[in-house]
Amino acid sequence: SQQGEEDPQALSIQEGENATMNCSYKTSINNLQWYRQNSGRGLVHLILIRSNEREKHSGRLRVTLDTSKKSSSLLITASRAADTASYFCATDPTLSGGYNKLIFGAGTRLAVHP
Amino acid sequence: DVKVTQSSRYLVKRTGEKVFLECVQDMDHENMFWYRQDPGLGLRLIYFSYDVKMKEKGDIPEGYSVSREKKERFSLILESASTNQTSMYLCASSLMAQGSTDTQYFGPGTRLTVL
């Protein structure tokens, strides 16, 4: 079952521009996480936002969470070519039975051109 | 740093073969997970384990089994590989057991092709 759905599926921007990716989900959550995947590699955790938080920052990353709309956004400011990757949101549903069982979306492919 | 390793980056097998994918983590994590990743579908959970010898089915367990004899090692087994199991397989681990929130640490993935 796919909980998170990212939008857009693909995004192409120039270096220095900001990149915004959105994630929508269906059920109540404990937290929402964003991961990054370089081509053909494993995923790397970027940032976690809990259900009682509305905004979180980490370096050039800014994440917002709107639990009333069941949506989140990831903003990457001043993008660099090295930010080229796929970005996934993952939700930790409240009714998943624990065990840190996340549900991942299909991802947004970001291409940053020099 | 947490390290999650997978036995192979690329693997080519024939239909009907028994396939073992191995995953090892070095940080004493309780939880371990196996996902498959296909274009447009994201990551789908096959099986997970929250303790040695304990396993739970994920969303797509059909055609797969798992084994966790030691805390650091979680194996995914394809009893009789089929072409529709051609995919990228990702292993992950996380620190805490039930009731906690935590991030998952991923291995580099195994790209399996079944001919």
Side-chain angles (χ1 to χ4, degrees):
Chain A
S1 58
Q2 202 159 319
Q3 162 87 308
E5 294 185 7
E6 286 94 340
D7 167 55
Q9 291 184 342
L11 183 59
S12 181
I13 60 175
Q14 297 296 125
E15 249 184 344
E17 294 180 340
N18 295 342
T20 299
M21 289 159 267
N22 303 297
C23 171
S24 60
Y25 58 92
K26 297 173 184 172
T27 64
S28 63
I29 60 173
N30 295 313
N31 65 73
L32 185 146
Q33 304 177 31
W34 286 90
Y35 288 78
R36 166 196 168 121
Q37 183 182 35
N38 285 16
S39 179
R41 309 291 296 188
L43 278 70
V44 175
H45 177 257
L46 293 176
I47 195 165
L48 179 153
I49 187 165
R50 300 183 188 278
S51 60
N52 60 355
E53 297 175 312
R54 291 297 165 256
E55 188 170 313
K56 205 160 183 181
H57 297 254
S58 177
R60 294 184 295 113
L61 305 180
R62 174 180 167 248
V63 170
T64 62
L65 179 64
D66 187 336
T67 53
S68 66
K69 294 181 179 178
K70 291 187 170 57
S71 67
S72 173
S73 67
L74 171 67
L75 168 67
I76 304 174
T77 59
S79 63
R80 306 165 181 167
D83 294 328
T84 294
S86 291
Y87 293 82
F88 294 86
C89 71
T91 53
D92 179 7
T94 53
L95 297 179
S96 70
Y99 303 118
N100 181 225
K101 206 169 69 168
L102 301 177
I103 300 178
F104 287 81
T108 292
R109 293 188 313 278
L110 173 65
V112 181
H113 302 284
Chain B
D1 279 350
V2 175
K3 192 169 183 182
V4 180
T5 57
Q6 295 183 228
S7 50
S8 305
R9 288 297 317 279
Y10 300 94
L11 207 54
V12 179
K13 295 292 181 180
R14 297 216 172 265
T15 301
E17 281 191 81
K18 191 168 186 175
V19 181
F20 293 87
L21 303 182
E22 303 284 339
C23 175
V24 177
Q25 50 92 5
D26 67 356
M27 287 301 291
D28 204 34
H29 284 178
E30 282 86 0
N31 298 336
M32 296 188 75
F33 308 84
W34 274 108
Y35 298 90
R36 65 176 281 175
Q37 182 179 20
D38 300 288
L41 296 178
L43 278 70
R44 293 180 291 168
L45 182 64
I46 305 171
Y47 268 97
F48 70 100
S49 168
Y50 53 90
D51 201 352
V52 175
K53 297 191 186 295
M54 305 305 290
K55 60 185 180 183
E56 293 283 343
K57 293 180 180 179
D59 298 319
I60 51 165
E62 297 78 19
Y64 304 94
S65 62
V66 290
S67 172
R68 193 166 181 200
E69 296 296 319
K70 294 184 178 181
K71 191 173 186 179
E72 67 271 17
R73 188 180 297 270
F74 192 34
S75 302
L76 179 69
I77 303 153
L78 286 66
E79 295 289 341
S80 178
S82 63
T83 55
N84 62 14
Q85 292 178 309
T86 291
S87 186
M88 169 74 107
Y89 289 88
L90 292 164
C91 174
S93 70
S94 67
L95 177 60
M96 300 299 285
Q98 186 177 16
S100 175
T101 59
D102 209 341
T103 61
Q104 293 187 11
Y105 296 85
F106 282 81
T110 295
R111 188 165 295 280
L112 173 68
T113 301
V114 183
L115 301 175

